Amino acid sequence: MADTRRLDARPVAGNDPALIAALTAAGLPTDDLTEPGRGFFAYRSGDRPAGFGGIERHGAHALLRSIVVPEGRRGEGLGGAILAHLMTEATGAAAVWLLTTTAAPFFARHGFRTVPRGNAPAEILATRQAAAICPASATLMTCGPET
């Protein structure tokens, strides 16, 4: 188990080659990484890479982006630690939203709940993630006030 108390976060640009490579390897979208309003982080635990994650602000809401942990480090609790950091970055948001095709159980374990797309605020539905990048079959989840 990783010592998640020693998870170090470093901001990275959306065009960071390591970020793009990690997202591509995980089958996650990279089309809009350099658009305004996105904040991405590279994480390390000790002297080893621990993954990447990001967040976007849209009005009063935040959209969680692409948490990815290196395959050889999965199961160490790093995904939860990255999520905790990103939730801190989203402090002040009315709610945090995400779209996922594969990780709904992970996010449900961390307090997110599935909601119909129609329950999302217009700012979230208008994002490229919701409107074009993620398939209609992607699960919409939120953590925040009841919607």
Side-chain angles (χ1 to χ4, degrees):
M1 184 68 72
D3 182 0
T4 56
R5 295 169 296 185
R6 298 199 33 92
L7 189 67
D8 296 313
R10 176 181 56 87
V12 295
N15 63 356
D16 180 275
L19 169 65
I20 293 169
L23 295 177
T24 300
L28 295 170
T30 59
D31 295 352
D32 66 336
L33 299 181
T34 59
E35 292 180 8
R38 284 130 180 87
F40 293 99
F41 298 88
Y43 297 93
R44 294 185 71 77
S45 176
D47 62 347
R48 297 174 53 208
F52 294 91
I55 196 137
E56 300 176 18
R57 290 286 189 152
H58 295 280
H61 299 273
L63 180 66
L64 198 62
R65 288 294 304 265
S66 303
I67 293 176
V68 63
V69 173
E71 191 170 326
R73 304 234 30 212
R74 293 182 186 154
E76 297 181 28
L78 296 170
I82 291 170
L83 177 59
H85 173 260
L86 293 173
M87 293 301 286
T88 299
E89 290 291 318
T91 298
V96 177
W97 300 84
L98 64 90
L99 290 146
T100 183
T101 57
T102 61
F106 167 82
F107 289 107
R109 285 192 306 273
H110 292 279
F112 282 79
R113 65 186 182 288
T114 301
V115 295
R117 281 200 188 208
N119 286 27
E123 302 99 296
I124 296 300
L125 294 176
T127 65
R128 284 197 57 208
Q129 284 287 301
I133 295 174
C134 290
S137 60
T139 301
L140 175 69
M141 302 182 83
T142 189
C143 184
E146 292 297 319
T147 53

